[in-house]
Each structure stands twice: as C-alpha cells, then as structure tokens.
Amino acid sequence: MNRPPPPHEADFRGLKLSHLRLMAELQATGQLGLAAERLGLAQPAASRLLAEVERIAGHPVHSRDGRGLRLTAAGEALARRAARIALELADAKREVTEAATGTEGHVRIGAVTGPALDHVLPAVQRIRADHPRLTLEITVSTSPPLCDLLLAGRLDFAIGRLLDPGHSRLLHMQPIRDEPLSLIVRRGHPLLLRPRITAADVLDYEWVMPEDEALITRSVLDRLAALGLPGPRRQVSTASFLFTLAMLKASDAVAPLAQPVAESFASGPSTPFVDLPLDLDIRVPPFGLIRRREAELTPAAGRVARAILESGLPGQPGAKPATS
C-alpha cells in the first residue's frame, strides 16, 4: 500500500532575526515596500529576505493581493511568532542594558484617566522616592489605543480594560476594581442653589459625554434605564477630557466623570468645578493591569506594576473603601 509522503517540516536553523522582523512588519503593514521602509531596507533587499524565508520554511508564506500582499496561513503563523520574538528581544535588550549599566530602568505605562490619577500617580510618587534612578513614561488614553500600543511593544503594561475581543486573545488583564462615576458641573451652577437635587433635576440640563459606543456612556445609559429614567439630553459628544471641562466651564452642562477625576478637579473651594451631591450609583466595569500574554515584565516594570496593584489594597494610598 502506497502512503503519501510526509509533509515537509520546516528547518528554521537558517532563520535570522532580519527574517523575523520582516515577517512581523509584513503582518502589520500588508505591504512589502512599507515593511522595508520601516526596517530601513531597500525593497529588493526585502524581497530577497522574503524569498529566503520561503526557502527556509519550505512553504509559501505570502501571495500577491493587488498592490499589497497577503500572508498565507503558514505566513500568519510565522509572523505571529516573529512579532512575539521581536518584542521579547527588545525587552531583553532593555533588561541587559539596565543590568550592565547599573541603571534602575525605564518603564512605559499606559492608563485610562481615572486609574491614572487614582492608582498610577500615588504608586509612581512612592516608587520614585525609593528608586531615584528609575525613569517612567506615562501615556493616558482610552483602553483600545493603549492595548494597541501594548501589542506594538511601546508600553510595558497598561491600566485599563479589555474591550476588543481581538485584544482579549493576545492580552491578559488582572482585575483591580470597578470605577464609580460622579456628576460634575461648574461652580455657580443653578442646581447648586437647590436644597435637594434629584435625578429629574439633573436630567433637565444638557449632559456632555462621549459617543454612544463609549464605555462610560453605555454605563450611564444602562444605569438610567435601570432606574426607569430617560437618557440625558445631549447636543455635544466628546471623548476629550479637556474639551469636556471647557464645556462645563462655559455652560450649565453636566458631565459624568470618573470619581478620582472629580476628586482632583472638583474637590476644593478654589476649583472651578463641583461634584454634585447626588449618587446615582453609576459604575464603569472593572479596570485592571493589562499585559501581553506569556510575556515577562522587566524587573523595573514588574516593580512598578506591583506598586500599582498594591495601591488598590485597603490601607494603601489610592485605595478606596469597599462599597456594597
């Protein structure tokens, strides 16, 4: 009985770092010319590298797709691994440099606004006192862009949420806690003249929030619906924190903001904003510490990550009392 020959097994002994970098860039760009440009190569040199990859792998790793190219299933598999190896090598380079030079490292942190103030800031303040040679880079944004930066190797970890199923397959989140929202208005707002403020009173005014798909807006609308209340009147939608504050200052609008943000910008007699004394129990789902799956943090990044996680424990600066 004749049996079919066994499938060819790739022999990767000839595979070089330049091959892996090219595959990772091809997956990211879908264009040989752009991948070559990112790697500082001429396109003919990138073409030769791609041909070498196919020869070493023993399988086609790409096909032409109009002006670009499409990776085959084998190419996608190799590119995924290549991207992970490239990120690990970049982290290894940083760690070796830190060990060789005696520096305490450089840590790149991403965070959404509330946790940036409530957890990252107090942790950074504490750790800087004990590690003066440690440098930190903080990026504040919404969760999806932070996850993209994390996957691209431009952040060590992020404090946010996994909202995209594609991100959930590649990233892991260690939950910290959920996030209550406060309702903020300008100082001197007509609502503040009332002896008692009700939900109906607040809904008489325009609210400033992000678009409907944003997590904070969905949380507000879901909670109001659960209370049997209509959605607020909205003419302006924005995800910009600065534009929201400008709108509040220039009008009688109301804005739902993360409680730590409210405490920072509306908690003193000299601040231009006031936290309304009305608790509708609006909460955004839990945020957490997000990192690449199966990736190991550098010692410096691990030190900072632990400090941030500890900031959410009872008795620590930045921690909040438990609520029922």
Side-chain angles (χ1 to χ4, degrees), residues 126-194:
R126 291 200 312 275
I127 207 163
R128 284 174 62 224
D130 296 329
H131 301 277
R133 300 183 67 190
L134 176 70
T135 59
L136 301 111
E137 180 182 342
I138 316 295
T139 300
V140 179
S141 184
T142 55
S143 292
L146 292 177
C147 289
D148 288 338
L149 290 173
L150 186 54
L151 289 172
R154 294 169 60 186
L155 295 175
D156 292 304
F157 61 85
I159 307 299
R161 298 172 179 86
L162 289 178
L163 305 177
D164 185 331
H167 289 155
S168 299
R169 291 191 297 269
L170 301 170
L171 302 171
H172 170 75
M173 186 183 85
Q174 182 176 349
I176 296 177
R177 67 175 181 85
D178 63 6
E179 189 173 25
L181 300 181
S182 296
L183 300 178
I184 308 301
V185 297
R186 67 174 176 83
R187 189 171 296 280
H189 193 285
L191 281 171
L192 300 173
L193 300 176
R194 297 174 183 259

Coordinates of all heavy atoms in Angstrom, one line a residue, residues 126-194:
R126 N 5.4 57.1 45.3 CA 6.1 56.3 46.3 C 7.3 55.6 45.7 O 8.4 55.6 46.4 CB 5.1 55.2 46.8 CG 4.0 55.6 47.6 CD 3.4 54.5 48.5 NE 3.1 53.3 47.7 CZ 2.1 53.0 47.0 NH1 1.1 54.0 46.9 NH2 1.9 51.9 46.4
I127 N 7.2 55.1 44.5 CA 8.4 54.3 44.0 C 9.5 55.3 43.6 O 10.7 54.9 43.7 CB 7.9 53.4 42.8 CG1 8.9 52.2 42.7 CG2 7.9 54.2 41.5 CD1 8.3 51.1 41.9
R128 N 9.2 56.5 43.2 CA 10.3 57.4 42.8 C 11.2 57.8 44.0 O 12.4 58.0 43.9 CB 9.7 58.7 42.3 CG 9.2 58.6 40.8 CD 8.4 59.8 40.4 NE 9.3 61.0 40.4 CZ 9.0 62.2 40.8 NH1 7.8 62.4 41.4 NH2 9.9 63.2 40.8
A129 N 10.5 57.8 45.2 CA 11.3 58.2 46.4 C 12.3 57.1 46.7 O 13.5 57.4 47.2 CB 10.4 58.3 47.6
D130 N 12.0 55.8 46.5 CA 12.9 54.7 46.8 C 13.9 54.4 45.6 O 14.9 53.7 45.8 CB 12.1 53.5 47.2 CG 11.3 53.6 48.4 OD1 11.7 54.4 49.3 OD2 10.2 53.0 48.5
H131 N 13.5 54.8 44.4 CA 14.3 54.4 43.2 C 14.5 55.7 42.4 O 13.9 55.8 41.3 CB 13.6 53.3 42.4 CG 13.3 52.1 43.2 ND1 14.3 51.1 43.4 CD2 12.2 51.7 43.9 CE1 13.8 50.1 44.1 NE2 12.6 50.4 44.4
P132 N 15.4 56.6 42.8 CA 15.6 57.9 42.1 C 16.1 57.7 40.7 O 16.0 58.7 39.9 CB 16.5 58.6 43.1 CG 17.2 57.6 43.9 CD 16.2 56.5 44.0
R133 N 16.8 56.6 40.4 CA 17.3 56.4 39.1 C 16.4 55.7 38.1 O 16.8 55.4 37.0 CB 18.7 55.7 39.2 CG 19.7 56.4 40.0 CD 21.0 55.6 40.1 NE 21.7 55.6 38.8 CZ 22.7 54.8 38.5 NH1 23.2 54.0 39.4 NH2 23.3 54.9 37.3
L134 N 15.2 55.4 38.6 CA 14.2 54.8 37.7 C 13.5 56.0 36.9 O 13.1 57.0 37.5 CB 13.2 54.1 38.5 CG 12.0 53.5 37.8 CD1 12.4 52.3 37.0 CD2 10.9 53.0 38.8
T135 N 13.3 55.8 35.6 CA 12.6 56.8 34.8 C 11.3 56.1 34.3 O 11.2 54.9 34.1 CB 13.4 57.3 33.6 OG1 13.7 56.2 32.8 CG2 14.6 58.0 34.1
L136 N 10.2 57.0 34.2 CA 8.9 56.5 33.9 C 8.3 57.3 32.7 O 8.5 58.6 32.7 CB 8.0 56.5 35.1 CG 8.5 55.6 36.2 CD1 8.9 56.5 37.4 CD2 7.4 54.7 36.7
E137 N 7.6 56.7 31.9 CA 6.9 57.4 30.8 C 5.4 57.0 30.9 O 5.1 55.8 30.8 CB 7.5 56.9 29.4 CG 6.9 57.5 28.2 CD 7.5 56.9 27.0 OE1 8.6 56.3 27.0 OE2 6.9 57.0 25.9
I138 N 4.5 57.9 31.0 CA 3.1 57.7 31.3 C 2.3 58.1 30.1 O 2.4 59.3 29.6 CB 2.6 58.4 32.5 CG1 3.6 58.3 33.7 CG2 1.2 57.9 32.9 CD1 3.8 56.9 34.2
T139 N 1.5 57.3 29.5 CA 0.6 57.6 28.4 C -0.9 57.4 28.9 O -1.2 56.4 29.4 CB 0.8 56.7 27.2 OG1 2.1 56.8 26.7 CG2 -0.2 57.0 26.1
V140 N -1.7 58.5 28.8 CA -3.1 58.5 29.3 C -3.9 58.5 28.0 O -3.8 59.5 27.2 CB -3.4 59.6 30.2 CG1 -4.8 59.6 30.6 CG2 -2.5 59.6 31.4
S141 N -4.8 57.5 27.9 CA -5.7 57.5 26.7 C -6.8 56.5 27.1 O -7.0 56.1 28.2 CB -4.9 57.0 25.5 OG -5.7 57.0 24.3
T142 N -7.6 56.2 26.1 CA -8.7 55.2 26.3 C -8.1 53.8 26.1 O -7.0 53.6 25.6 CB -9.9 55.4 25.3 OG1 -9.3 55.4 24.0 CG2 -10.5 56.8 25.6
S143 N -8.9 52.8 26.5 CA -8.3 51.4 26.6 C -7.9 50.9 25.2 O -6.8 50.3 25.1 CB -9.3 50.5 27.2 OG -9.5 50.8 28.6
P144 N -8.7 51.0 24.1 CA -8.3 50.4 22.9 C -7.0 50.9 22.3 O -6.1 50.0 21.9 CB -9.5 50.7 21.9 CG -10.7 50.8 22.8 CD -10.1 51.5 24.1
P145 N -6.7 52.2 22.3 CA -5.4 52.6 21.8 C -4.3 52.1 22.7 O -3.2 51.8 22.2 CB -5.5 54.1 21.8 CG -6.9 54.5 21.8 CD -7.6 53.3 22.5
L146 N -4.5 52.1 24.0 CA -3.5 51.6 24.9 C -3.2 50.1 24.6 O -2.0 49.7 24.7 CB -3.9 51.8 26.4 CG -4.1 53.2 26.9 CD1 -4.6 53.2 28.3 CD2 -2.7 54.0 26.8
C147 N -4.2 49.3 24.4 CA -3.9 47.9 24.0 C -3.2 47.8 22.7 O -2.3 46.9 22.6 CB -5.3 47.2 24.0 SG -6.1 47.0 25.6
D148 N -3.5 48.7 21.8 CA -2.7 48.6 20.5 C -1.2 49.0 20.8 O -0.3 48.3 20.2 CB -3.3 49.6 19.5 CG -4.6 49.2 19.0 OD1 -4.9 48.0 19.0 OD2 -5.4 50.1 18.5
L149 N -1.0 50.0 21.6 CA 0.4 50.3 21.9 C 1.1 49.2 22.7 O 2.3 48.9 22.5 CB 0.4 51.6 22.8 CG 0.0 52.9 22.1 CD1 -0.1 54.0 23.1 CD2 1.0 53.3 21.0
L150 N 0.4 48.5 23.5 CA 1.0 47.4 24.3 C 1.3 46.3 23.3 O 2.4 45.7 23.4 CB -0.1 46.9 25.3 CG 0.3 45.8 26.3 CD1 1.6 46.2 27.1 CD2 -0.8 45.6 27.3
L151 N 0.5 45.9 22.4 CA 0.8 44.9 21.4 C 1.9 45.2 20.5 O 2.6 44.4 20.0 CB -0.5 44.6 20.6 CG -1.6 43.8 21.4 CD1 -2.9 43.7 20.5 CD2 -1.1 42.4 21.8
A152 N 2.1 46.5 20.3 CA 3.2 47.0 19.4 C 4.5 47.1 20.2 O 5.5 47.4 19.6 CB 2.8 48.4 18.8
G153 N 4.5 46.8 21.5 CA 5.7 46.8 22.3 C 6.1 48.2 22.7 O 7.2 48.4 23.2
R154 N 5.2 49.2 22.6 CA 5.5 50.6 23.0 C 5.1 50.9 24.4 O 5.3 52.0 24.9 CB 4.9 51.5 22.0 CG 5.4 51.4 20.6 CD 4.7 52.1 19.6 NE 4.6 53.6 19.9 CZ 3.9 54.4 19.1 NH1 3.1 54.0 18.1 NH2 3.9 55.7 19.4
L155 N 4.5 49.9 25.1 CA 4.2 50.0 26.5 C 4.6 48.7 27.2 O 4.5 47.7 26.6 CB 2.6 50.3 26.8 CG 2.0 51.6 26.3 CD1 0.5 51.5 26.5 CD2 2.6 52.8 26.9
D156 N 5.0 48.8 28.5 CA 5.3 47.6 29.2 C 4.0 47.0 29.8 O 3.9 45.8 29.8 CB 6.2 47.9 30.4 CG 7.6 48.3 29.9 OD1 8.2 47.6 29.2 OD2 8.1 49.5 30.2
F157 N 3.1 47.8 30.2 CA 1.8 47.3 30.7 C 0.8 48.5 30.7 O 1.2 49.7 30.5 CB 1.8 46.7 32.0 CG 2.3 47.6 33.1 CD1 1.4 48.4 33.8 CD2 3.6 47.6 33.5 CE1 1.9 49.3 34.8 CE2 4.1 48.4 34.5 CZ 3.2 49.3 35.2
A158 N -0.5 48.2 30.8 CA -1.5 49.3 30.8 C -2.5 49.0 31.9 O -2.7 47.9 32.3 CB -2.2 49.4 29.5
I159 N -3.0 50.1 32.4 CA -4.1 50.0 33.4 C -5.4 50.5 32.7 O -5.5 51.7 32.3 CB -3.9 51.0 34.6 CG1 -2.5 50.7 35.2 CG2 -5.0 50.8 35.7 CD1 -2.3 49.3 35.7
G160 N -6.2 49.5 32.3 CA -7.4 49.8 31.6 C -8.3 48.6 31.5 O -8.4 47.8 32.4
R161 N -9.0 48.5 30.3 CA -10.0 47.4 30.2 C -9.8 46.7 28.8 O -9.4 47.4 27.9 CB -11.4 48.0 30.2 CG -11.7 48.6 31.6 CD -13.1 49.3 31.6 NE -13.4 49.9 32.9 CZ -12.9 51.1 33.3 NH1 -12.2 51.9 32.4 NH2 -13.2 51.6 34.5
L162 N -10.1 45.4 28.8 CA -10.1 44.7 27.5 C -11.5 44.8 26.9 O -12.4 44.1 27.3 CB -9.7 43.3 27.8 CG -8.2 43.0 28.1 CD1 -8.0 41.6 28.4 CD2 -7.3 43.5 27.1
L163 N -11.7 45.6 25.9 CA -13.0 45.9 25.3 C -13.1 45.2 23.9 O -14.2 45.0 23.4 CB -13.2 47.4 25.1 CG -13.1 48.2 26.4 CD1 -13.3 49.7 26.1 CD2 -14.1 47.7 27.4
D164 N -12.0 44.9 23.3 CA -11.9 44.3 21.9 C -11.6 42.8 22.0 O -10.6 42.4 22.6 CB -10.8 45.0 21.1 CG -10.8 44.6 19.7 OD1 -11.2 43.5 19.4 OD2 -10.4 45.4 18.8
P165 N -12.5 42.0 21.5 CA -12.2 40.5 21.5 C -10.9 40.2 21.0 O -10.2 39.2 21.4 CB -13.4 39.9 20.7 CG -14.5 40.9 20.8 CD -13.8 42.3 20.8
G166 N -10.4 40.9 19.9 CA -9.1 40.6 19.4 C -8.0 40.9 20.4 O -7.0 40.1 20.4
H167 N -8.2 41.9 21.2 CA -7.2 42.2 22.2 C -7.2 41.1 23.3 O -6.2 40.7 23.9 CB -7.5 43.5 22.9 CG -7.2 44.7 22.0 ND1 -7.8 45.9 22.1 CD2 -6.3 44.8 20.9 CE1 -7.3 46.7 21.2 NE2 -6.4 46.1 20.5
S168 N -8.4 40.6 23.6 CA -8.5 39.6 24.7 C -7.8 38.3 24.4 O -7.4 37.6 25.3 CB -10.0 39.3 24.9 OG -10.7 40.5 25.3
R169 N -7.6 38.0 23.1 CA -6.9 36.8 22.7 C -5.4 36.9 22.9 O -4.7 35.9 23.1 CB -7.2 36.4 21.3 CG -8.6 36.0 21.0 CD -8.8 35.3 19.7 NE -8.5 36.3 18.6 CZ -9.5 37.1 18.1 NH1 -10.7 37.0 18.5 NH2 -9.1 37.9 17.1
L170 N -4.9 38.2 22.9 CA -3.5 38.4 22.9 C -3.0 39.0 24.3 O -1.8 39.0 24.5 CB -3.1 39.3 21.8 CG -3.4 38.8 20.4 CD1 -3.2 39.9 19.3 CD2 -2.6 37.6 20.0
L171 N -3.9 39.5 25.0 CA -3.6 40.2 26.3 C -4.3 39.6 27.4 O -5.3 39.0 27.3 CB -3.9 41.7 26.2 CG -3.3 42.5 25.0 CD1 -3.9 43.9 24.9 CD2 -1.8 42.6 25.2
H172 N -3.7 39.8 28.6 CA -4.3 39.3 29.9 C -4.5 40.5 30.8 O -3.7 41.3 30.9 CB -3.4 38.3 30.5 CG -3.8 37.9 31.9 ND1 -4.9 37.1 32.2 CD2 -3.3 38.3 33.1 CE1 -5.0 37.0 33.5 NE2 -4.1 37.7 34.1
M173 N -5.7 40.5 31.5 CA -6.0 41.6 32.4 C -6.2 41.0 33.8 O -6.9 40.0 34.0 CB -7.3 42.3 32.0 CG -7.5 43.5 33.0 SD -9.1 44.4 32.6 CE -10.3 43.4 33.6
Q174 N -5.4 41.6 34.8 CA -5.6 41.2 36.2 C -6.5 42.3 36.8 O -6.1 43.4 37.0 CB -4.2 41.2 36.9 CG -4.3 40.8 38.4 CD -2.9 40.7 39.0 OE1 -1.9 40.7 38.3 NE2 -2.8 40.6 40.3
P175 N -7.8 42.0 37.1 CA -8.7 43.0 37.6 C -8.2 43.7 38.8 O -7.6 43.1 39.7 CB -10.0 42.2 37.8 CG -9.9 41.0 37.0 CD -8.4 40.6 37.0
I176 N -8.6 45.0 38.9 CA -8.3 45.8 40.1 C -9.6 46.1 40.8 O -9.8 45.7 41.9 CB -7.4 47.0 39.8 CG1 -6.1 46.6 39.2 CG2 -7.3 47.9 41.0 CD1 -5.2 47.8 38.8
R177 N -10.4 46.9 40.2 CA -11.7 47.2 40.8 C -12.6 47.9 39.7 O -12.1 48.4 38.7 CB -11.6 48.0 42.1 CG -11.1 49.4 41.9 CD -11.2 50.1 43.3 NE -10.7 51.5 43.2 CZ -11.5 52.5 42.8 NH1 -12.7 52.4 42.5 NH2 -11.0 53.8 42.8
D178 N -13.9 48.1 40.0 CA -14.7 48.9 39.1 C -14.5 50.3 39.4 O -13.8 50.7 40.3 CB -16.2 48.5 39.3 CG -16.8 48.7 40.6 OD1 -16.1 49.3 41.5 OD2 -17.9 48.4 40.9
E179 N -15.2 51.2 38.7 CA -14.9 52.6 38.7 C -16.2 53.4 38.9 O -17.0 53.5 37.9 CB -14.2 53.1 37.5 CG -13.6 54.5 37.5 CD -12.8 54.8 36.3 OE1 -12.9 54.1 35.3 OE2 -11.9 55.7 36.5
P180 N -16.5 54.0 40.0 CA -17.7 54.8 40.2 C -17.6 56.2 39.4 O -16.5 56.7 39.3 CB -17.8 55.0 41.7 CG -16.4 54.9 42.2 CD -15.7 53.9 41.3
L181 N -18.7 56.7 39.0 CA -18.7 58.0 38.3 C -19.4 59.0 39.2 O -20.3 58.7 39.9 CB -19.5 57.9 37.0 CG -19.0 56.9 35.9 CD1 -19.9 56.9 34.7 CD2 -17.5 57.1 35.6
S182 N -18.9 60.3 39.0 CA -19.5 61.4 39.7 C -20.1 62.4 38.6 O -19.7 62.3 37.5 CB -18.5 62.2 40.5 OG -18.0 61.4 41.6
L183 N -21.0 63.2 39.0 CA -21.6 64.2 38.1 C -21.0 65.5 38.4 O -21.1 66.0 39.6 CB -23.1 64.2 38.3 CG -23.8 62.8 37.9 CD1 -25.3 63.0 38.2 CD2 -23.5 62.4 36.5
I184 N -20.4 66.2 37.5 CA -19.7 67.4 37.7 C -20.3 68.6 36.9 O -20.8 68.4 35.8 CB -18.2 67.2 37.1 CG1 -17.6 66.0 37.7 CG2 -17.4 68.5 37.4 CD1 -17.5 66.0 39.2
V185 N -20.4 69.7 37.6 CA -20.9 71.0 37.0 C -19.9 72.1 37.3 O -19.0 71.9 38.2 CB -22.3 71.3 37.5 CG1 -23.3 70.2 37.1 CG2 -22.3 71.5 39.0
R186 N -20.2 73.2 36.7 CA -19.3 74.4 37.0 C -19.7 75.0 38.4 O -20.9 74.8 38.8 CB -19.5 75.5 36.0 CG -20.9 76.1 35.9 CD -20.9 77.3 34.9 NE -22.3 77.8 34.8 CZ -22.8 78.7 35.6 NH1 -22.1 79.1 36.7 NH2 -24.0 79.1 35.4
R187 N -18.8 75.6 39.1 CA -19.2 76.3 40.3 C -20.1 77.5 40.0 O -19.9 78.2 39.0 CB -17.9 76.9 41.0 CG -18.1 77.4 42.4 CD -16.8 77.7 43.0 NE -16.0 76.5 43.2 CZ -16.2 75.7 44.2 NH1 -17.1 75.9 45.1 NH2 -15.4 74.6 44.3
G188 N -21.2 77.6 40.8 CA -22.2 78.6 40.5 C -23.3 78.1 39.6 O -24.2 78.9 39.2
H189 N -23.4 76.8 39.3 CA -24.4 76.2 38.5 C -25.8 76.3 39.3 O -25.8 76.2 40.5 CB -24.1 74.7 38.3 CG -24.9 74.0 37.3 ND1 -26.3 73.7 37.5 CD2 -24.6 73.6 36.0 CE1 -26.7 73.1 36.4 NE2 -25.8 73.1 35.5
P190 N -26.9 76.6 38.5 CA -28.2 76.7 39.1 C -28.6 75.6 40.0 O -29.3 75.8 41.0 CB -29.1 76.9 37.9 CG -28.3 77.4 36.9 CD -26.9 76.8 37.1
L191 N -28.2 74.4 39.7 CA -28.5 73.2 40.5 C -28.0 73.3 42.0 O -28.7 72.8 42.9 CB -28.0 71.9 39.9 CG -28.7 71.3 38.7 CD1 -27.9 70.2 38.1 CD2 -30.1 70.8 39.2
L192 N -26.9 74.0 42.1 CA -26.3 74.1 43.5 C -27.1 75.1 44.4 O -26.9 75.1 45.6 CB -24.9 74.6 43.3 CG -24.0 73.7 42.5 CD1 -22.6 74.4 42.3 CD2 -23.8 72.4 43.2
L193 N -28.1 75.8 43.8 CA -29.0 76.6 44.7 C -30.1 75.8 45.3 O -30.8 76.4 46.2 CB -29.5 77.8 43.8 CG -28.5 78.7 43.2 CD1 -29.1 79.8 42.3 CD2 -27.6 79.4 44.3
R194 N -30.4 74.6 44.8 CA -31.5 73.8 45.3 C -31.1 73.2 46.7 O -30.0 72.7 46.8 CB -31.8 72.8 44.3 CG -32.3 73.3 43.0 CD -32.5 72.2 42.0 NE -32.9 72.7 40.7 CZ -34.2 72.7 40.2 NH1 -35.2 72.2 41.0 NH2 -34.5 73.1 39.1

